[in-house]
Amino acid sequence: MIDQKAFIELKIRKRPWFIWILRAVWLIWVLFWLEATVGSWKEMETRAFVISLIIFLVSLIAGILLWLWGYLRFKKANT
Amino acid sequence: MNRRDFCKFGLGGTGLVMGTGLNSGVKQPPSNRIGRISRHPWWVKNIDEPKLPIDDKVYSRFNSSRSVFGSFDKYYGMENLRELRQRSQEKTRQYYKEDRPGYRLEDRALADAAWVISRQGGLNRGTRSWTRQFVTTPERRGVEKYNRNPMEASQLIKSAARYFGAATAGIAILDRRHIHSYERGKPIVFEAVDEPYENEKKLVIPDKCKYAIGLSVQMSLDNLQCSPTAISSAGSSMGYSRCEFLVAGLAEFIRGLGYMAIPSVNDLGSSVAIAVDAGLGELGRTNRLITPEFGPAVRLCKVLTDLPLALDKPIDFGLLEFCKICKRCADACPSQCLSFDDEPSFQVKGEWNNSGHKAWFEDAPKCFAYWQESTSGCSICIPVCPWSKKDKTMIHEMVKAASAKIPALDRFFFAMDEAFGYGKQKSAQKWWFLDLPEYGIDTTQGKG
């Protein structure tokens, strides 16, 4: 008869497989708007520059916050 | 969906899209464009006939005296014209007094000075001479004239055209109906002669002159965006001067190969019709050419020749569908001379239009009157066009490609173009402080 208490239960929490795809999509999105921002500046299109810059910054900050939130949640769950 | 399914779907989808693309490529008529010279972006399709049809029973040669430049007094009325000129002079003085940017002495001097090369030529005059200027012919060199195959000759011509300043070049069979019936009161006739000539009675083009080389020259968008001021006029006049140099150089080059060449800018025939046939662009709502690379921000010119050349085909990049919903040029036009109709038609607006082809015809006298009214011409319809873009960011290329392939998105792209503030007038005062490239144009634009 096996003593149940002799075993330790390990729960392995893996990141979902699609997280890398989401990260790649986010990176491409952010780089796209960065390029649009720089390009609009070169083209001297003020309004296009401001809109592109806002989209770029919001996407960048939102992405970083989301990543941080996910990271903290993941860390908490593993401790 | 698990990862395996996702990969299957993704790869399958990609394969499907690529397959469709390749397949559609095979279905297209093969392009005669050679090498990199004048090759359009991948999303431009070659077609057999221009999208806007010609009615063969009606379309005929146009008498240039009917154009708005030739008969403005008749269309506008002598009395109205006198008043208009007076108003224009008063306004000019008033603008000087106000020291209005774009209408100052330096602005007007720039616009006038940029014409300087253009003024050296005219129909069969100066730089647009129909006969050899100074180039040494093969005969004088004691060699045979150039006799390689038409494909090679086309490559040569397009390379030379680019070297002389062409943004794009295309070749079509000369449709004689595009040639004016009269110029300067003389009939233009085709005869079985060896060289083109002019006498007191007529202008003669040799029968053997079968090819038309359509050429476009970039205009500075930085200038045009200041429209309607003298700074934007300088953009147009510089375009004309560069056309002059281009056709003069290219014609002499062809003569140097041992063939005849007739250089022409706005004279002799319709550069727009030839450019459409030669696949440089499509006819837009302005009833002018719109190119995939530069939008309407180009000047057109042409060279007629008997040098056997490989032909290009008309193109389709979804412009017709886009123009149907956009109408921004018509909206922005201060003289309201452009059509707001949803569809192009055969119905002309007046004698100044050549009938027999489908188009959005313009009320040209209204346009020309506004040129006087503004005191320095007008080209607002050019920079406001969503196809007039510099290519410093890839978003423009992506939007153009998507518009060409998925016309259903045109309305969305038009709305976005408005939201992003494109097409707004720029400061003529600031133009003087821009660090502009040579001739104010980016010669790398549209070259991939």
Side-chain angles (χ1 to χ4, degrees):
Chain A
M1 181 116 182
I2 301 166
D3 183 3
Q4 291 289 330
K5 287 177 183 173
F7 292 90
I8 302 164
E9 193 182 342
L10 281 175
K11 269 189 179 174
I12 299 169
R13 290 171 67 94
K14 277 175 71 181
R15 287 189 180 92
W17 63 269
F18 53 82
I19 201 81
W20 293 105
I21 292 169
L22 286 180
R23 281 177 184 171
V25 168
W26 171 75
L27 191 68
I28 291 167
W29 174 260
V30 166
L31 288 177
F32 174 80
W33 286 106
L34 176 65
E35 195 269 353
T37 308
V38 174
S40 303
W41 174 255
K42 283 185 189 167
E43 290 177 354
M44 293 175 288
E45 293 291 350
T46 324
R47 196 178 158 104
F49 165 74
V50 171
I51 294 173
S52 304
L53 183 67
I54 290 169
I55 297 175
F56 164 68
L57 289 176
V58 168
S59 307
L60 183 74
I61 293 166
I64 290 171
L65 288 178
L66 214 66
W67 178 78
L68 265 177
W69 175 72
Y71 175 75
L72 291 175
R73 218 174 119 233
F74 182 76
K75 209 175 164 193
K76 198 176 159 193
N78 282 338
T79 50
Chain B
M1 185 190 285
N2 62 26
R3 183 166 50 186
R4 190 178 294 267
D5 289 341
F6 177 82
C7 287
K8 265 191 207 167
F9 175 77
L11 290 175
T14 312
L16 189 71
V17 169
M18 285 179 70
T20 313
L22 289 174
N23 202 17
S24 66
V26 171
K27 274 181 200 164
Q28 303 309 325
S31 168
N32 286 328
R33 294 188 187 282
I34 310 149
R36 290 290 307 158
I37 308 294
S38 284
R39 186 187 277 179
H40 291 298
W42 64 269
W43 37 269
V44 177
K45 236 175 15 181
N46 287 298
I47 50 178
D48 289 327
E49 293 289 331
K51 277 181 91 178
L52 289 171
I54 282 179
D55 182 347
D56 291 324
K57 286 178 196 148
V58 180
Y59 188 65
S60 60
R61 293 172 63 190
F62 183 70
N63 184 340
S64 68
S65 68
R66 274 169 49 200
S67 79
V68 72
F69 300 105
S71 300
F72 184 60
D73 49 355
K74 183 179 140 196
Y75 299 138
Y76 200 68
M78 280 308 285
E79 191 51 41
N80 289 341
L81 183 57
R82 252 193 301 275
E83 281 172 23
L84 180 66
R85 283 191 179 139
Q86 203 175 341
R87 267 204 314 278
S88 180
Q89 282 170 0
E90 280 164 16
K91 265 192 179 174
T92 304
R93 278 194 292 271
Q94 186 195 332
Y95 289 171
Y96 275 132
K97 220 185 268 179
E98 289 172 6
D99 197 27
R100 191 181 279 213
Y103 300 90
R104 293 169 178 158
L105 183 64
E106 60 269 34
D107 304 318
R108 292 188 191 275
L110 184 81
D112 285 355
W115 278 110
V116 70
I117 306 298
S118 178
R119 292 288 190 249
Q120 306 302 313
L123 178 73
N124 193 19
R125 281 191 193 138
T127 39
R128 264 176 268 166
S129 168
W130 287 11
T131 48
R132 188 182 69 88
Q133 299 292 289
F134 73 94
V135 75
T136 309
T137 59
E139 202 178 20
R140 287 189 183 193
R141 289 185 200 276
V143 295
E144 288 282 300
K145 66 182 187 180
Y146 180 85
N147 59 1
R148 302 260 173 83
N149 69 55
M151 292 289 266
E152 280 184 51
S154 287
Q155 168 75 44
L156 219 66
I157 290 298
K158 288 175 180 177
S159 293
R162 177 66 60 73
Y163 186 64
F164 286 119
T168 50
I171 297 155
I173 282 285
L174 174 63
D175 185 336
R176 291 186 182 183
R177 296 172 301 177
H178 298 336
I179 300 298
H180 295 155
S181 55
Y182 278 83
E183 280 276 6
R184 295 200 312 245
K186 290 181 195 176
I188 302 175
V189 296
F190 287 83
E191 286 179 4
V193 289
D194 214 40
E195 287 291 318
Y197 70 91
E198 178 180 6
N199 60 26
E200 304 77 45
K201 289 182 181 163
K202 58 186 176 181
L203 290 141
V204 179
I205 299 175
D207 273 335
K208 64 177 182 174
C209 181
K210 290 204 168 96
Y211 301 91
I213 306 164
L215 303 154
S216 75
V217 160
Q218 260 195 86
M219 288 194 284
S220 169
L221 207 51
D222 289 301
N223 284 67
L224 297 173
Q225 283 171 335
C226 301
S227 188
T229 62
I231 292 292
S232 73
S233 296
S236 299
S237 37
M238 177 62 96
Y240 279 120
S241 280
R242 292 187 52 237
C243 278
E244 203 68 45
F245 177 69
L246 166 60
V247 294
L250 192 61
E252 278 289 272
F253 171 68
I254 293 169
R255 290 170 195 141
L257 298 176
Y259 295 85
M260 53 128 308
I262 301 178
S264 158
V265 184
N266 280 356
D267 55 308
L268 189 64
S270 168
S271 298
V272 177
I274 287 172
V276 169
D277 285 355
L280 299 190
E282 285 188 64
L283 202 63
R285 181 172 286 277
T286 50
N287 198 15
R288 300 288 181 276
L289 189 85
I290 297 186
T291 64
E293 297 89 355
F294 314 101
V298 288
R299 284 282 154 214
L300 299 175
C301 48
K302 58 212 175 272
V303 174
L304 312 184
T305 183
D306 61 337
L307 169 66
L309 296 165
L311 304 176
D312 290 304
K313 289 189 168 192
I315 58 169
D316 170 15
F317 56 100
L319 182 83
L320 188 64
E321 289 71 23
F322 191 87
C323 281
K324 282 179 189 174
I325 62 127
C326 172
K327 301 180 184 174
R328 192 189 284 166
C329 52
D331 239 354
C333 176
S335 67
Q336 294 292 288
C337 77
L338 298 176
S339 169
F340 279 95
D341 295 347
D342 289 333
E343 295 287 333
S345 76
F346 284 102
Q347 192 63 48
V348 295
K349 287 272 165 64
E351 269 185 69
W352 51 87
N353 296 134
N354 194 12
S355 54
H357 68 103
K358 215 173 191 184
W360 281 287
F361 289 102
E362 80 287 10
D363 197 338
K366 273 189 185 173
C367 172
F368 196 51
Y370 184 75
W371 289 17
Q372 327 285 321
E373 200 80 54
S374 78
T375 76
S376 60
C378 177
S379 46
I380 284 179
C381 53
I382 299 174
V384 299
C385 176
W387 288 85
S388 291
K389 291 277 186 297
K390 296 176 187 170
D391 66 352
K392 297 289 177 210
T393 163
M394 63 181 175
I395 195 167
H396 303 317
E397 189 72 5
M398 290 167 75
V399 169
K400 284 179 177 183
S403 169
K405 295 289 175 194
I406 317 164
L409 293 174
D410 285 349
R411 209 170 285 276
F412 170 72
F413 290 142
F414 172 66
M416 284 295 106
D417 200 78
E418 294 248 289
F420 275 66
Y422 289 107
K424 296 271 184 290
Q425 193 194 32
K426 300 275 169 72
S427 160
Q429 193 163 9
K430 284 184 185 165
W431 181 88
W432 288 98
F433 301 97
L434 300 176
D435 185 16
L436 291 173
E438 290 91 329
Y439 303 115
I441 55 164
D442 177 5
T443 54
T444 63
Q445 180 152 345
K447 313 292 186 297

